[in-house]
Amino acid sequence: MQKFLTAVVLIPLGLIFIVFAVANRHLVTVSFDPLDVSDPIGTVQMPLFVLIIGVAILGVIAGGIATWFRQRHWRRAARRHQAEAIEARAELANLRASIVSPAQSEPKRLLLEQGSATGRRDKAGAAL
């Protein structure tokens, strides 16, 4: 199912990029020197579609990095909560283990036999 959805998204997107590249294949001059318009130092000639797609890719990368930095407090809180949960699970396991095997320092309780001489018990279940 995932391959089908990927194909449904990627095939039309690829076709759009191909049509865009064919329609915008003429060369443009990109200058990185805003002070000297007549003889700029850093100029590059490239097809228009390369420029537009490249700027879009750089924008997506910059937005992803900005979002990653903005969400750092959520990641920190998630790590803290995960550590607390692990600690709580370990404490629970220790408590369960201490209930299953009581400590040696606890006094052992004697069990009364069911067939005692009188066999009478009060409301709380204690032998009379």
Side-chain angles (χ1 to χ4, degrees), residues 48-66:
L48 181 60
F49 74 92
V50 172
L51 176 67
I52 293 175
I53 292 174
V55 168
I57 290 171
L58 287 176
V60 168
I61 291 171
I65 291 171

Side-chain angles (χ1 to χ4, degrees), residues 23-104:
N24 296 293
R25 64 181 183 263
H26 59 280
L27 293 176
V28 294
T29 302
V30 179
S31 173
F32 296 103
D33 187 8
L35 301 177
D36 191 9
V37 180
S38 62
D39 188 29
I41 295 173
T43 60
V44 177
Q45 282 197 339
M46 63 180 66
L48 181 60
F49 74 92
V50 172
L51 176 67
I52 293 175
I53 292 174
V55 168
I57 290 171
L58 287 176
V60 168
I61 291 171
I65 291 171
T67 302
W68 186 75
F69 278 120
R70 200 174 311 132
Q71 293 176 349
R72 69 182 177 273
H73 61 279
W74 297 112
R75 290 190 305 275
R76 186 180 308 133
R79 283 192 302 269
R80 187 181 71 239
H81 291 308
Q82 183 179 12
E84 289 173 0
I86 290 170
E87 185 179 318
R89 285 187 190 118
E91 185 178 345
L92 179 62
N94 288 339
L95 288 172
R96 285 183 176 165
S98 69
I99 290 173
V100 171
S101 61
Q104 296 296 332

